[in-house]
Each structure stands twice: as C-alpha cells, then as structure tokens.
Amino acid sequence: MAGQSRGERAKLPVLIVLHQEHSTPGRVGHFLTRMGYALDIRRPRFDDPLPATLEQHAGAVVFGGPNSANDEDAFICREIQWMSVPLREQKPLLGICLGAQMLARNLGARVFCHVDQHAEVGYYPIHPTMEGRAAHDPWPDHVYQWHREGFDLPAGATLLAKGGEAFPVQAFRSGPAAYALQFHPEVTYAMSCRWTTRGAHRMALPGAKPRPSHFADRAVYDYSERMWLQGFLERWLASGDAPAASAAPKQEALRRAASAMPAREAEAVTAP
C-alpha cells in the first residue's frame, strides 16, 4: 500500500512496542487515540512477534525500558534488526529513549554510558537546532529524562535537538520519517509517580535530580512538553506521506526557523 494517503493511513493502527509487562504508551497513546488511531500493542520481550511489513500500520513507536541497546538479549537484537523494516519502507518510526538508542544502533551509531557514569533523571534543558525548529516549533525549554546511556548522531542523520555536555544528542531524524527522542514526552503524572518510587535508586546516580524536583519542575515545564508532543505526533505521522519534501517549502521552513533563533546561531548554520 505504498500509495496510501494520510487519510487512508488514519484508518490503520499504530504499532506500539513496549518492553515491560505493565508498561503503557502514556501520553503518546492518549494523543494517538484522540487522533483516531487504534493501538496495536506488542511486547517482543514476551515473545510477541513484530510484523514483516508496516503496510497494515500507520507507523510504529518503540518505547523505553530498563534494558540497554547494547544488551545481547535476543529480543533486543531482533528489535534493532526489525527497525530496518520501517526504515526501508519509509513509514513513520519513532524511538523514545531505549527505542531511540536501538534506532541509533541500527543506523551504525554508538550507544554509550557517560565516562563518569552521569545520568539524566528528571527535567533538563534542551536546545533545538535550526533543522529541529523547521521540523516542529516551538520546542519545550526543558524535557523529562530517565536514562544513563546516550548515543552519537548516526551518519547521514539530521540533529534536531541538543542537550548538555554529558548527552549532547537529544533528537535526530533519519530519512523522511524516522525520529529518535532521548527524552520522555509521554510520561504522565501517574507514570512519574511510579518511576520515582520503583526506580528510586536511579536518583542516586551522578547528575540525577532528587525526587521532589521531579514534581516541582513538572509544574513548570510539563505543559509545554505536552503541547509540543501533540503537535509533533501530527507532523510525525504526516512525514510518511511523501519520501521527501520539495526544496522550496523546506527552504522556507529553514528561513522561518532561522528568524526565530539568536542571530549568532542563525549565521552559523548554512542551509543545505
């Protein structure tokens, strides 16, 4: 069904790949359901199969989990290899945290722990690039993180957002429709309560935020992250409509993004 329009794809479910028995897709699931998409939830860790093609799906979201993309578990290796399916078919693919790291590995990039074992657990600043602003704007100032590994930018991928010195690559796009997010825009208040309770030991890692700051910062930053996610998902699903945008609209988007950036940053970027 290579010629499907967005309207036709809206009748198809979105594949949801989760990694724990009781995990949920959180806000991503809420927004997709409101947009009219059914959710086809699979848990490969518990032997759920992944489809050989995404012809019967509007796209796929691969979520986070406690594993590492460097683990040799059979399901991790299968998922990394499976990501070649949506990449080859140019169907919308979104990796979040572990899912983003698996996408990076599929594309040949390194996934690593910080040399001083630093982690990002809580809210941290994020800085969209000009290409990131052209893809979707405005971005939130801070995003919710829960990870102790990061990844390099894959060869040929477009950097969409930068983080701090410990984990500088926070979001990228590969091809027209594959996106990776190191952070967790899907986390609801209930999920945050569970994570900070069951995963309390993670907050003892170097660089992690204490539990009270998770909720104090949530009151400040959550609204903008939630609004960003809703708009991002709409743009992401539309990214599978055509293999590539025409040059003129892309250049206009880049021009608008540059005008929204500080002059010094805009001058330092040359549009392709």
Side-chain angles (χ1 to χ4, degrees), residues 206-243:
K209 303 289 182 69
R211 190 174 194 266
S213 74
H214 288 233
F215 298 99
D217 289 347
R218 185 178 182 85
V220 178
Y221 303 122
D222 180 64
Y223 178 79
S224 59
E225 188 171 16
R226 183 170 74 248
M227 291 299 98
W228 175 87
L229 175 63
Q230 183 174 9
F232 170 80
L233 288 173
E234 293 171 354
R235 297 283 293 269
W236 167 67
L237 282 167
S239 69
D241 286 344

mmCIF file of all heavy atoms in Angstrom, residues 206-243:
data_model
loop_
_atom_site.group_PDB
_atom_site.id
_atom_site.type_symbol
_atom_site.label_atom_id
_atom_site.label_comp_id
_atom_site.label_asym_id
_atom_site.label_seq_id
_atom_site.Cartn_x
_atom_site.Cartn_y
_atom_site.Cartn_z
ATOM 1 N N PRO A 206 25.082 9.916 39.653
ATOM 2 C CA PRO A 206 25.645 11.254 39.445
ATOM 3 C C PRO A 206 24.851 12.032 38.389
ATOM 4 O O PRO A 206 24.566 11.517 37.315
ATOM 5 C CB PRO A 206 27.068 10.970 38.957
ATOM 6 C CG PRO A 206 27.385 9.603 39.458
ATOM 7 C CD PRO A 206 26.089 8.850 39.440
ATOM 8 N N GLY A 207 24.481 13.250 38.712
ATOM 9 C CA GLY A 207 23.751 14.096 37.783
ATOM 10 C C GLY A 207 22.252 13.976 37.851
ATOM 11 O O GLY A 207 21.533 14.809 37.286
ATOM 12 N N ALA A 208 21.726 12.941 38.532
ATOM 13 C CA ALA A 208 20.275 12.752 38.635
ATOM 14 C C ALA A 208 19.668 13.767 39.595
ATOM 15 O O ALA A 208 20.314 14.220 40.541
ATOM 16 C CB ALA A 208 19.965 11.329 39.100
ATOM 17 N N LYS A 209 18.410 14.108 39.350
ATOM 18 C CA LYS A 209 17.694 15.058 40.203
ATOM 19 C C LYS A 209 16.986 14.318 41.341
ATOM 20 O O LYS A 209 16.488 13.200 41.147
ATOM 21 C CB LYS A 209 16.660 15.833 39.379
ATOM 22 C CG LYS A 209 17.230 16.594 38.177
ATOM 23 C CD LYS A 209 18.052 17.790 38.611
ATOM 24 C CE LYS A 209 18.566 18.577 37.414
ATOM 25 N NZ LYS A 209 17.498 19.274 36.676
ATOM 26 N N PRO A 210 16.890 14.921 42.531
ATOM 27 C CA PRO A 210 16.160 14.292 43.633
ATOM 28 C C PRO A 210 14.658 14.246 43.339
ATOM 29 O O PRO A 210 14.131 15.050 42.561
ATOM 30 C CB PRO A 210 16.469 15.196 44.827
ATOM 31 C CG PRO A 210 16.794 16.523 44.224
ATOM 32 C CD PRO A 210 17.471 16.225 42.911
ATOM 33 N N ARG A 211 13.957 13.332 43.971
ATOM 34 C CA ARG A 211 12.544 13.113 43.681
ATOM 35 C C ARG A 211 11.693 14.380 43.800
ATOM 36 O O ARG A 211 10.857 14.641 42.926
ATOM 37 C CB ARG A 211 11.982 12.009 44.585
ATOM 38 C CG ARG A 211 10.577 11.557 44.194
ATOM 39 C CD ARG A 211 10.127 10.368 45.020
ATOM 40 N NE ARG A 211 8.941 9.723 44.466
ATOM 41 C CZ ARG A 211 7.701 9.990 44.838
ATOM 42 N NH1 ARG A 211 7.472 10.895 45.781
ATOM 43 N NH2 ARG A 211 6.689 9.360 44.278
ATOM 44 N N PRO A 212 11.844 15.208 44.848
ATOM 45 C CA PRO A 212 10.982 16.395 44.925
ATOM 46 C C PRO A 212 11.092 17.317 43.726
ATOM 47 O O PRO A 212 10.100 17.934 43.307
ATOM 48 C CB PRO A 212 11.461 17.085 46.212
ATOM 49 C CG PRO A 212 12.031 15.981 47.045
ATOM 50 C CD PRO A 212 12.683 15.057 46.061
ATOM 51 N N SER A 213 12.288 17.405 43.134
ATOM 52 C CA SER A 213 12.453 18.306 41.995
ATOM 53 C C SER A 213 11.722 17.799 40.759
ATOM 54 O O SER A 213 11.351 18.590 39.881
ATOM 55 C CB SER A 213 13.935 18.513 41.673
ATOM 56 O OG SER A 213 14.492 17.377 41.048
ATOM 57 N N HIS A 214 11.483 16.480 40.654
ATOM 58 C CA HIS A 214 10.731 15.947 39.518
ATOM 59 C C HIS A 214 9.337 16.568 39.466
ATOM 60 O O HIS A 214 8.842 16.926 38.392
ATOM 61 C CB HIS A 214 10.611 14.425 39.637
ATOM 62 C CG HIS A 214 11.893 13.698 39.365
ATOM 63 N ND1 HIS A 214 11.996 12.663 38.450
ATOM 64 C CD2 HIS A 214 13.133 13.847 39.889
ATOM 65 C CE1 HIS A 214 13.240 12.211 38.432
ATOM 66 N NE2 HIS A 214 13.941 12.907 39.312
ATOM 67 N N PHE A 215 8.723 16.702 40.626
ATOM 68 C CA PHE A 215 7.345 17.201 40.674
ATOM 69 C C PHE A 215 7.293 18.733 40.716
ATOM 70 O O PHE A 215 6.377 19.335 40.157
ATOM 71 C CB PHE A 215 6.631 16.574 41.869
ATOM 72 C CG PHE A 215 6.553 15.076 41.746
ATOM 73 C CD1 PHE A 215 7.451 14.265 42.404
ATOM 74 C CD2 PHE A 215 5.614 14.486 40.911
ATOM 75 C CE1 PHE A 215 7.405 12.880 42.260
ATOM 76 C CE2 PHE A 215 5.561 13.114 40.755
ATOM 77 C CZ PHE A 215 6.458 12.306 41.432
ATOM 78 N N ALA A 216 8.285 19.351 41.349
ATOM 79 C CA ALA A 216 8.352 20.812 41.312
ATOM 80 C C ALA A 216 8.601 21.295 39.886
ATOM 81 O O ALA A 216 7.968 22.251 39.409
ATOM 82 C CB ALA A 216 9.451 21.304 42.254
ATOM 83 N N ASP A 217 9.525 20.632 39.186
ATOM 84 C CA ASP A 217 9.822 21.012 37.804
ATOM 85 C C ASP A 217 8.677 20.658 36.866
ATOM 86 O O ASP A 217 8.443 21.356 35.876
ATOM 87 C CB ASP A 217 11.107 20.332 37.335
ATOM 88 C CG ASP A 217 12.349 20.903 37.996
ATOM 89 O OD1 ASP A 217 12.250 21.977 38.615
ATOM 90 O OD2 ASP A 217 13.421 20.267 37.902
ATOM 91 N N ARG A 218 7.973 19.602 37.162
ATOM 92 C CA ARG A 218 6.839 19.204 36.312
ATOM 93 C C ARG A 218 5.785 20.302 36.261
ATOM 94 O O ARG A 218 5.208 20.587 35.198
ATOM 95 C CB ARG A 218 6.219 17.905 36.837
ATOM 96 C CG ARG A 218 5.115 17.362 35.950
ATOM 97 C CD ARG A 218 4.556 16.046 36.490
ATOM 98 N NE ARG A 218 3.528 15.542 35.584
ATOM 99 C CZ ARG A 218 3.753 14.808 34.510
ATOM 100 N NH1 ARG A 218 4.990 14.460 34.202
ATOM 101 N NH2 ARG A 218 2.765 14.409 33.734
ATOM 102 N N ALA A 219 5.562 20.958 37.396
ATOM 103 C CA ALA A 219 4.579 22.035 37.444
ATOM 104 C C ALA A 219 4.978 23.198 36.532
ATOM 105 O O ALA A 219 4.125 23.926 36.026
ATOM 106 C CB ALA A 219 4.420 22.526 38.879
ATOM 107 N N VAL A 220 6.273 23.349 36.300
ATOM 108 C CA VAL A 220 6.772 24.452 35.479
ATOM 109 C C VAL A 220 6.859 24.071 33.998
ATOM 110 O O VAL A 220 6.487 24.842 33.115
ATOM 111 C CB VAL A 220 8.163 24.902 35.985
ATOM 112 C CG1 VAL A 220 8.729 26.016 35.102
ATOM 113 C CG2 VAL A 220 8.085 25.351 37.436
ATOM 114 N N TYR A 221 7.348 22.866 33.721
ATOM 115 C CA TYR A 221 7.731 22.509 32.353
ATOM 116 C C TYR A 221 6.786 21.542 31.639
ATOM 117 O O TYR A 221 6.888 21.377 30.421
ATOM 118 C CB TYR A 221 9.131 21.893 32.350
ATOM 119 C CG TYR A 221 10.185 22.785 32.944
ATOM 120 C CD1 TYR A 221 10.947 22.361 34.042
ATOM 121 C CD2 TYR A 221 10.442 24.051 32.418
ATOM 122 C CE1 TYR A 221 11.925 23.173 34.592
ATOM 123 C CE2 TYR A 221 11.407 24.877 32.963
ATOM 124 C CZ TYR A 221 12.152 24.433 34.052
ATOM 125 O OH TYR A 221 13.112 25.236 34.598
ATOM 126 N N ASP A 222 5.897 20.891 32.358
ATOM 127 C CA ASP A 222 5.132 19.814 31.738
ATOM 128 C C ASP A 222 4.176 20.313 30.659
ATOM 129 O O ASP A 222 4.015 19.658 29.627
ATOM 130 C CB ASP A 222 4.346 19.043 32.803
ATOM 131 C CG ASP A 222 3.547 17.912 32.196
ATOM 132 O OD1 ASP A 222 4.169 16.985 31.641
ATOM 133 O OD2 ASP A 222 2.307 17.958 32.255
ATOM 134 N N TYR A 223 3.553 21.451 30.862
ATOM 135 C CA TYR A 223 2.559 21.921 29.898
ATOM 136 C C TYR A 223 3.182 22.094 28.506
ATOM 137 O O TYR A 223 2.618 21.631 27.497
ATOM 138 C CB TYR A 223 1.929 23.232 30.358
ATOM 139 C CG TYR A 223 0.936 23.789 29.366
ATOM 140 C CD1 TYR A 223 -0.365 23.283 29.285
ATOM 141 C CD2 TYR A 223 1.299 24.808 28.486
ATOM 142 C CE1 TYR A 223 -1.274 23.773 28.366
ATOM 143 C CE2 TYR A 223 0.399 25.301 27.564
ATOM 144 C CZ TYR A 223 -0.888 24.790 27.503
ATOM 145 O OH TYR A 223 -1.772 25.280 26.574
ATOM 146 N N SER A 224 4.321 22.744 28.436
ATOM 147 C CA SER A 224 4.933 22.994 27.129
ATOM 148 C C SER A 224 5.399 21.690 26.482
ATOM 149 O O SER A 224 5.318 21.540 25.252
ATOM 150 C CB SER A 224 6.101 23.973 27.253
ATOM 151 O OG SER A 224 7.099 23.476 28.119
ATOM 152 N N GLU A 225 5.866 20.739 27.299
ATOM 153 C CA GLU A 225 6.280 19.463 26.725
ATOM 154 C C GLU A 225 5.066 18.694 26.198
ATOM 155 O O GLU A 225 5.119 18.070 25.133
ATOM 156 C CB GLU A 225 7.028 18.625 27.764
ATOM 157 C CG GLU A 225 7.652 17.376 27.185
ATOM 158 C CD GLU A 225 8.567 16.660 28.158
ATOM 159 O OE1 GLU A 225 8.514 16.933 29.377
ATOM 160 O OE2 GLU A 225 9.355 15.803 27.700
ATOM 161 N N ARG A 226 3.958 18.758 26.906
ATOM 162 C CA ARG A 226 2.733 18.083 26.478
ATOM 163 C C ARG A 226 2.201 18.677 25.176
ATOM 164 O O ARG A 226 1.825 17.950 24.253
ATOM 165 C CB ARG A 226 1.679 18.189 27.577
ATOM 166 C CG ARG A 226 0.396 17.443 27.253
ATOM 167 C CD ARG A 226 -0.520 17.364 28.469
ATOM 168 N NE ARG A 226 -1.174 18.632 28.771
ATOM 169 C CZ ARG A 226 -0.933 19.382 29.844
ATOM 170 N NH1 ARG A 226 -0.040 18.999 30.726
ATOM 171 N NH2 ARG A 226 -1.593 20.512 30.043
ATOM 172 N N MET A 227 2.193 20.003 25.079
ATOM 173 C CA MET A 227 1.706 20.653 23.868
ATOM 174 C C MET A 227 2.630 20.364 22.682
ATOM 175 O O MET A 227 2.167 20.175 21.551
ATOM 176 C CB MET A 227 1.584 22.163 24.092
ATOM 177 C CG MET A 227 0.477 22.553 25.067
ATOM 178 S SD MET A 227 -1.200 22.038 24.520
ATOM 179 C CE MET A 227 -1.411 20.513 25.461
ATOM 180 N N TRP A 228 3.923 20.329 22.952
ATOM 181 C CA TRP A 228 4.879 20.006 21.888
ATOM 182 C C TRP A 228 4.620 18.604 21.356
ATOM 183 O O TRP A 228 4.614 18.379 20.138
ATOM 184 C CB TRP A 228 6.306 20.115 22.416
ATOM 185 C CG TRP A 228 7.332 19.693 21.412
ATOM 186 C CD1 TRP A 228 7.914 20.464 20.445
ATOM 187 C CD2 TRP A 228 7.898 18.381 21.250
ATOM 188 N NE1 TRP A 228 8.796 19.725 19.697
ATOM 189 C CE2 TRP A 228 8.801 18.434 20.172
ATOM 190 C CE3 TRP A 228 7.726 17.173 21.919
ATOM 191 C CZ2 TRP A 228 9.531 17.333 19.748
ATOM 192 C CZ3 TRP A 228 8.437 16.061 21.493
ATOM 193 C CH2 TRP A 228 9.333 16.140 20.425
ATOM 194 N N LEU A 229 4.401 17.654 22.258
ATOM 195 C CA LEU A 229 4.201 16.262 21.841
ATOM 196 C C LEU A 229 3.004 16.124 20.923
ATOM 197 O O LEU A 229 3.072 15.433 19.906
ATOM 198 C CB LEU A 229 4.036 15.373 23.073
ATOM 199 C CG LEU A 229 3.693 13.908 22.785
ATOM 200 C CD1 LEU A 229 4.815 13.228 22.012
ATOM 201 C CD2 LEU A 229 3.398 13.163 24.080
ATOM 202 N N GLN A 230 1.906 16.782 21.251
ATOM 203 C CA GLN A 230 0.707 16.659 20.431
ATOM 204 C C GLN A 230 0.971 17.120 19.002
ATOM 205 O O GLN A 230 0.632 16.432 18.036
ATOM 206 C CB GLN A 230 -0.437 17.458 21.045
ATOM 207 C CG GLN A 230 -1.746 17.315 20.285
ATOM 208 C CD GLN A 230 -2.902 17.992 21.004
ATOM 209 O OE1 GLN A 230 -2.709 18.710 21.983
ATOM 210 N NE2 GLN A 230 -4.114 17.748 20.544
ATOM 211 N N GLY A 231 1.583 18.283 18.872
ATOM 212 C CA GLY A 231 1.879 18.784 17.533
ATOM 213 C C GLY A 231 2.922 17.942 16.821
ATOM 214 O O GLY A 231 2.834 17.709 15.607
ATOM 215 N N PHE A 232 3.910 17.480 17.569
ATOM 216 C CA PHE A 232 4.961 16.656 16.969
ATOM 217 C C PHE A 232 4.386 15.374 16.395
ATOM 218 O O PHE A 232 4.742 14.953 15.278
ATOM 219 C CB PHE A 232 6.036 16.327 18.006
ATOM 220 C CG PHE A 232 7.031 15.299 17.531
ATOM 221 C CD1 PHE A 232 8.081 15.663 16.698
ATOM 222 C CD2 PHE A 232 6.903 13.967 17.892
ATOM 223 C CE1 PHE A 232 8.981 14.716 16.233
ATOM 224 C CE2 PHE A 232 7.797 13.010 17.438
ATOM 225 C CZ PHE A 232 8.844 13.390 16.609
ATOM 226 N N LEU A 233 3.492 14.705 17.115
ATOM 227 C CA LEU A 233 2.929 13.448 16.624
ATOM 228 C C LEU A 233 2.156 13.654 15.324
ATOM 229 O O LEU A 233 2.206 12.812 14.414
ATOM 230 C CB LEU A 233 2.018 12.825 17.693
ATOM 231 C CG LEU A 233 2.722 12.236 18.913
ATOM 232 C CD1 LEU A 233 1.704 11.802 19.960
ATOM 233 C CD2 LEU A 233 3.634 11.070 18.534
ATOM 234 N N GLU A 234 1.445 14.772 15.210
ATOM 235 C CA GLU A 234 0.721 15.054 13.974
ATOM 236 C C GLU A 234 1.687 15.208 12.809
ATOM 237 O O GLU A 234 1.469 14.650 11.721
ATOM 238 C CB GLU A 234 -0.120 16.315 14.151
ATOM 239 C CG GLU A 234 -1.261 16.155 15.153
ATOM 240 C CD GLU A 234 -1.942 17.471 15.476
ATOM 241 O OE1 GLU A 234 -1.449 18.532 15.014
ATOM 242 O OE2 GLU A 234 -2.965 17.447 16.196
ATOM 243 N N ARG A 235 2.773 15.951 13.038
ATOM 244 C CA ARG A 235 3.770 16.153 11.974
ATOM 245 C C ARG A 235 4.488 14.847 11.654
ATOM 246 O O ARG A 235 4.805 14.561 10.495
ATOM 247 C CB ARG A 235 4.768 17.221 12.404
ATOM 248 C CG ARG A 235 4.195 18.610 12.626
ATOM 249 C CD ARG A 235 3.937 19.335 11.313
ATOM 250 N NE ARG A 235 5.155 19.655 10.597
ATOM 251 C CZ ARG A 235 5.825 20.812 10.740
ATOM 252 N NH1 ARG A 235 5.393 21.730 11.590
ATOM 253 N NH2 ARG A 235 6.920 21.039 10.034
ATOM 254 N N TRP A 236 4.774 14.064 12.700
ATOM 255 C CA TRP A 236 5.491 12.802 12.513
ATOM 256 C C TRP A 236 4.691 11.841 11.637
ATOM 257 O O TRP A 236 5.236 11.261 10.689
ATOM 258 C CB TRP A 236 5.787 12.179 13.877
ATOM 259 C CG TRP A 236 6.225 10.755 13.809
ATOM 260 C CD1 TRP A 236 7.390 10.265 13.284
ATOM 261 C CD2 TRP A 236 5.482 9.608 14.272
ATOM 262 N NE1 TRP A 236 7.419 8.895 13.401
ATOM 263 C CE2 TRP A 236 6.265 8.462 13.986
ATOM 264 C CE3 TRP A 236 4.240 9.454 14.895
ATOM 265 C CZ2 TRP A 236 5.848 7.177 14.316
ATOM 266 C CZ3 TRP A 236 3.817 8.172 15.221
ATOM 267 C CH2 TRP A 236 4.617 7.051 14.934
ATOM 268 N N LEU A 237 3.406 11.674 11.921
ATOM 269 C CA LEU A 237 2.595 10.768 11.117
ATOM 270 C C LEU A 237 2.458 11.265 9.683
ATOM 271 O O LEU A 237 2.396 10.477 8.745
ATOM 272 C CB LEU A 237 1.229 10.574 11.760
ATOM 273 C CG LEU A 237 1.232 9.607 12.953
ATOM 274 C CD1 LEU A 237 -0.066 9.716 13.735
ATOM 275 C CD2 LEU A 237 1.462 8.178 12.499
ATOM 276 N N ALA A 238 2.424 12.571 9.506
ATOM 277 C CA ALA A 238 2.338 13.129 8.153
ATOM 278 C C ALA A 238 3.642 12.953 7.390
ATOM 279 O O ALA A 238 3.652 13.033 6.161
ATOM 280 C CB ALA A 238 1.965 14.614 8.212
ATOM 281 N N SER A 239 4.751 12.694 8.092
ATOM 282 C CA SER A 239 6.053 12.586 7.429
ATOM 283 C C SER A 239 6.142 11.390 6.508
ATOM 284 O O SER A 239 7.036 11.323 5.661
ATOM 285 C CB SER A 239 7.171 12.521 8.471
ATOM 286 O OG SER A 239 7.126 11.293 9.196
ATOM 287 N N GLY A 240 5.229 10.435 6.637
ATOM 288 C CA GLY A 240 5.239 9.285 5.748
ATOM 289 C C GLY A 240 4.455 9.507 4.476
ATOM 290 O O GLY A 240 4.380 8.614 3.630
ATOM 291 N N ASP A 241 3.875 10.701 4.288
ATOM 292 C CA ASP A 241 3.066 10.966 3.096
ATOM 293 C C ASP A 241 3.882 10.975 1.821
ATOM 294 O O ASP A 241 3.416 10.605 0.765
ATOM 295 C CB ASP A 241 2.342 12.308 3.228
ATOM 296 C CG ASP A 241 1.183 12.230 4.208
ATOM 297 O OD1 ASP A 241 0.765 11.107 4.535
ATOM 298 O OD2 ASP A 241 0.712 13.284 4.651
ATOM 299 N N ALA A 242 5.128 11.447 1.912
ATOM 300 C CA ALA A 242 5.989 11.533 0.728
ATOM 301 C C ALA A 242 7.410 11.265 1.154
ATOM 302 O O ALA A 242 7.815 11.626 2.252
ATOM 303 C CB ALA A 242 5.883 12.924 0.088
ATOM 304 N N PRO A 243 8.215 10.638 0.294
ATOM 305 C CA PRO A 243 9.594 10.346 0.655
ATOM 306 C C PRO A 243 10.400 11.571 1.006
ATOM 307 O O PRO A 243 11.282 11.515 1.838
ATOM 308 C CB PRO A 243 10.157 9.667 -0.600
ATOM 309 C CG PRO A 243 8.957 9.107 -1.297
ATOM 310 C CD PRO A 243 7.849 10.078 -1.013
#
